[in-house]
Amino acid sequence: MLHIFARIGIDTIKPIEGQFEEVPNHIRHDTRYWPHFKDCIGAIDGTHIKACISPSCQIPYIGRKGEPTQNIMAVCDFNMCFIFAFPGWEGTAHDSRIFLQALRKQQL
């Protein structure tokens, strides 16, 4: 079941063509952000979502808090909209591993 949701997330949440050609006005015209964020396209972070997994498959999904979780990397633009999600990772997967895998996969 996790793999079905992972495919849906990867296929559904994608950047729109030409989305990053202009810096949003609320960044460009605010001295608190400009020029510090002039080349940024958004924010990226990983989050853990609780997962219900059969006991025989739980071990790779048990995160640092002792519960089975799925680690999901997500990216938001400056309008607080999700523009990318990479779900389906075990709770033990480190954020940097997920990020590097996303960079390596050309189809993403």
Side-chain angles (χ1 to χ4, degrees):
M1 192 68 164
L2 286 175
H3 298 291
I4 293 170
F5 288 119
R7 283 292 351 140
I8 291 170
I10 291 170
D11 292 339
T12 305
I13 303 173
K14 291 185 176 182
I16 300 168
E17 188 68 36
Q19 184 172 4
F20 309 120
E21 292 175 2
E22 289 189 27
V23 176
N25 284 333
H26 61 277
I27 301 296
R28 182 183 301 276
H29 300 298
D30 191 326
T31 56
R32 294 175 300 168
Y33 304 127
W34 191 263
H36 310 293
F37 293 98
K38 70 182 181 101
D39 294 324
C40 292
I41 60 172
I44 185 170
D45 198 8
T47 188
H48 287 261
I49 306 296
K50 285 186 182 180
C52 294
I53 301 170
S54 66
S56 62
C57 300
Q58 276 187 3
I59 293 193
Y61 289 88
I62 295 177
R64 59 187 169 90
K65 294 186 179 179
E67 297 178 332
T69 62
Q70 182 181 146
N71 195 348
I72 300 171
M73 183 182 76
V75 181
C76 291
D77 64 10
F78 285 111
N79 295 317
M80 302 294 189
C81 295
F82 286 105
I83 57 173
F84 181 77
F86 197 14
W89 288 85
E90 308 91 12
T92 56
H94 193 275
D95 291 349
S96 64
R97 178 177 164 215
I98 300 169
F99 178 71
L100 291 173
Q101 186 65 29
L103 291 178
R104 288 184 189 116
K105 286 192 170 206
Q106 294 223 337
Q107 69 268 27
L108 297 177

